Amino acid sequence: MTLHRAVSDLPEHVRSAVTRWLADHEIDPDTVALGQPIERDAMREILTWRESTDHGVLVRTRLPAVADGAVWPAPFPTQLLRQSA
């Protein structure tokens, strides 16, 4: 998933789904680097995203422990996949 607009600029139905997905994965929507990918690898249970900071763009990775049978990171919001953000 790649955001090309700030989350606050997305249409309401998309904004709420993306905000919820980001919150569920402990990502601050205000720091997501626009035009940079948010990558999920459910097989290896890795989430990678880029944050814009005063010092440039930082790459973040999260590898949480999940319960057997759980899918993490969660699939991207379908509302976002249906249209370009």
Side-chain angles (χ1 to χ4, degrees):
M1 170 172 70
T2 301
L3 297 177
H4 296 283
R5 291 189 278 168
V7 173
S8 60
D9 293 338
L10 296 173
E12 174 56 36
H13 71 286
V14 175
R15 181 176 52 240
S16 61
V18 171
T19 300
R20 186 172 38 257
W21 190 93
L22 292 171
D24 288 348
H25 294 85
E26 299 178 358
I27 299 174
D28 181 351
D30 294 331
T31 64
V32 173
L34 300 180
Q36 298 290 319
I38 299 172
E39 302 164 293
R40 61 178 294 276
D41 184 337
M43 294 296 290
R44 297 185 316 164
E45 298 175 338
I46 297 171
L47 181 63
T48 304
W49 72 101
R50 282 92 180 141
E51 290 184 353
S52 293
T53 70
D54 293 339
H55 305 289
V57 175
L58 299 177
V59 177
R60 302 287 189 189
T61 302
R62 185 158 295 134
L63 302 115
V66 295
D68 286 342
V71 174
W72 196 97
F76 293 127
T78 57
Q79 293 90 334
L80 187 62
L81 300 176
R82 289 189 203 127
Q83 68 178 34
S84 93

